[in-house]
Amino acid sequence: MATEISDRAREIADARGVPESEVFEQALELGIADLWENVVLGKYVDGKLSREKTIELVGLENVQRSDREAAAVEEDVDWGLNA
């Protein structure tokens, strides 16, 4: 897997004309941002973070998407319990 990641980073770097280190730095930043967003939205769904604060931290679109996903899961669970 490490070889595959290195190969992909090299290919991205070549395509963008930047050093591999820059590719890894951007990947880390994007990965951390994505993981952080997931943590914030998880706290919101669990009722540990207010909607207002969540919107402030990750934006309205992400909160609305999270609301739709949570509603879809709830509908599936209700359907499963009543099937």
Side-chain angles (χ1 to χ4, degrees), residues 7-76:
D7 290 344
R8 288 180 180 182
R10 190 174 306 107
E11 187 173 338
I12 293 166
D14 290 344
R16 292 183 176 178
V18 298
E20 279 183 65
S21 61
E22 188 173 321
V23 172
F24 281 111
E25 181 180 341
Q26 289 175 353
L28 181 60
E29 288 174 3
L30 290 171
I32 293 292
D34 189 48
L35 292 171
W36 179 79
E37 182 180 287
N38 287 336
V39 166
V40 171
L41 291 171
K43 288 180 179 181
Y44 167 66
V45 169
D46 290 342
K48 297 177 183 175
L49 199 57
S50 72
R51 181 177 175 80
E52 295 77 22
K53 184 64 176 176
T54 306
I55 290 170
E56 180 184 320
L57 294 172
V58 298
L60 178 60
E61 287 183 20
N62 289 318
V63 172
Q64 289 173 332
R65 178 179 41 91
S66 179
D67 288 340
R68 288 190 303 272
E69 291 171 358
V73 168
E74 196 172 307
E75 288 174 19
D76 286 349

